[in-house]
Amino acid sequence: MVSVWYPADRPTAEEGPRASYMRAGAAAVFGAGAAKILQVGQGAVDWAGFVTHARVGVAAESRAGRLPVVLYSPGMYNERTLDTTAVEELASHGYAVITVDPVHEAHAVEFPDGRIIEPAPGLGTIEEGAARSRAALEVRVADIPFVLDQLTVLARGGNPDAGKRLLPRGLGKALDLTRTGMFGHSLGGMTTAEVMRVDRRVRAGANLDGPLGYDWTDPELLLPVAHTGLDRPFLQMGAWLTGPSGRLPHTHEHSPSWRAMWQNSTGWKRDLWTEAAEHNSFTDYQTVLPGLAEQLTLPQGLPTRMIGTVDPARFTASRRVYLTAFFDQHLRGRHQPLLDSPSPLHPDVRFIS
């Protein structure tokens, strides 16, 4: 199950209904789990009631030319909606962004016919840690080339939708698959790196705080891509990792898997670190949790554990800017000085050389 985000044709941009953050069925399942973590009552947060800036089904912008394509893979168990913040930003800058759900792994995936797919029972029997990461990653790395194949069908004028629903006008013609990138959070970042190793159609990738090993700290359990490296552009943005030596910055200076990837890669690379961030700062939680905290009483310390102490609006803006600059430089060929050195406009982001 995927969503396609793209610049809309201006005359029809307001015609479609506003897109919900989550479909109602998936939101109900997701919300039940979230209520336990947030320690609030069922229905205290209307996840399906959130609306995005997008409209459903409107024609693709016909005057913008063919659009570079960027795929997004979420963290483990997470839905494809969990970085709408960055996805909408990229679409507003002229990208077609394809968000991909990890079916049978995400908390809930809702299909157009109303089916709700929850995690596969087998995944719950796999021992926590490396074995579970390996199993989930193998499925995702098989999924993404399939998605790229279906996008090729779409770009050639076909309709890959399983239900053969009418697609938005001009959508297929808008895709330029010769300029394809990918980014992901956590397991989605691992997926991005491994997909780039096995499928050269992905020309540039960004990893948002994902380990490049099946275990966060064990150097004997590195992903294949950490051993081979990449010859294409790869951006890493990290927060913190906890290992035998305690809590350390998640950078190539401290992470065995990131260090191996850094040393073995011959392509363009950057390592950006944010000290005041946490693992979920690289998702919509960085925006959503502070908003919920204004309306609800959340467990003591929960927001800090999940999203750190970084200024939410400032870091969200920085993360969007760096991702957009990365793809502008490597999919559009537009040099971005922002990627050359630290910027006073983004004081939370440090360059690790």
Side-chain angles (χ1 to χ4, degrees):
M1 190 65 209
V2 307
S3 292
V4 184
W5 303 72
Y6 53 92
D9 185 54
R10 290 186 183 278
T12 63
E14 300 298 319
E15 291 181 2
R18 288 282 290 275
S20 295
Y21 185 69
M22 290 184 179
R23 291 174 62 94
V29 177
F30 176 87
K36 296 177 182 178
I37 295 172
L38 299 175
Q39 296 181 19
V40 297
Q42 295 283 351
V45 182
D46 181 10
W47 296 95
F50 293 1
V51 292
T52 69
H53 297 90
R55 301 277 176 169
V56 178
V58 299
E61 171 63 66
S62 57
R63 295 171 294 177
R66 294 174 72 84
L67 309 171
V69 174
V70 175
L71 295 96
Y72 168 68
S73 183
M76 193 167 193
Y77 305 127
N78 285 342
E79 289 71 19
R80 69 187 189 279
T81 59
L82 259 289
D83 205 355
T84 299
T85 315
V87 167
E88 288 194 330
E89 180 76 3
L90 286 166
S92 76
H93 284 270
Y95 289 88
V97 187
I98 318 299
T99 59
V100 185
D101 254 332
V103 185
H104 302 293
E105 176 205 316
H107 299 108
V109 179
E110 182 172 354
F111 285 85
D113 62 5
R115 287 178 299 143
I116 308 294
I117 308 297
E118 297 185 45
L123 192 62
T125 65
I126 298 174
E127 183 181 353
E128 291 283 355
R132 179 169 292 196
S133 295
R134 188 188 298 269
L137 184 63
E138 287 177 355
V139 174
R140 290 188 183 217
V141 174
D143 279 349
I144 298 300
F146 170 78
V147 171
L148 287 170
D149 290 344
Q150 299 309 303
L151 292 175
T152 300
V153 171
L154 178 61
R156 292 175 176 172
N159 184 352
D161 182 73
K164 297 304 176 187
R165 294 170 300 165
L166 184 65
L167 299 180
R169 178 168 49 84
L171 183 58
K173 293 180 180 179
L175 304 182
D176 181 0
L177 292 169
T178 67
R179 297 183 290 167
T180 297
M182 184 172 173
F183 75 104
H185 169 246
S186 195
L187 183 65
M190 297 165 65
T191 304
T192 298
E194 274 296 294
V195 166
M196 289 184 69
R197 182 182 67 86
V198 301
D199 196 324
R200 296 194 64 84
R201 288 178 291 182
V202 181
R203 291 176 46 183
N207 171 22
L208 308 181
D209 208 40
L212 294 174
Y214 297 108
D215 183 270
W216 277 81
T217 58
D218 190 341
E220 301 301 319
L221 293 172
L222 302 185
L223 301 185
V225 70
H227 290 291
T228 65
L230 292 171
D231 60 358
R232 282 153 289 153
F234 198 70
L235 171 68
Q236 305 200 144
M237 299 183 72
W240 294 88
L241 66 119
T242 301
S245 302
R247 184 172 158 89
L248 297 169
H250 197 187
T251 71
H252 74 271
E253 293 180 339
H254 297 94
S255 163
S257 66
W258 281 32
R259 183 184 307 118
M261 179 76 162
W262 185 269
Q263 293 173 343
N264 292 325
S265 292
T266 58
W268 183 99
K269 56 196 175 187
R270 287 288 182 275
D271 186 351
L272 306 179
W273 179 57
T274 299
E275 181 178 7
E278 291 292 347
H279 189 54
N280 284 293
S281 294
F282 300 90
T283 71
D284 287 342
Y285 289 125
Q286 182 68 75
T287 301
V288 171
L289 277 179
L292 293 180
E294 293 178 359
Q295 305 294 327
L296 304 169
T297 301
L298 302 182
Q300 182 69 30
L302 177 67
T304 300
R305 290 194 300 273
M306 289 187 67
I307 59 174
T309 58
V310 68
D311 180 89
R314 187 173 67 203
F315 183 62
T316 297
S318 295
R319 196 167 67 82
R320 288 161 63 148
V321 165
Y322 277 100
L323 273 175
T324 303
F326 172 73
F327 289 119
D328 277 352
Q329 178 159 309
H330 297 295
L331 296 184
R332 286 189 160 123
R334 303 172 181 171
H335 177 248
Q336 301 293 311
L338 179 69
L339 299 175
D340 295 338
S341 59
S343 167
L345 297 177
H346 304 284
D348 303 302
V349 179
R350 299 189 189 181
F351 280 57
I352 308 299
S353 59

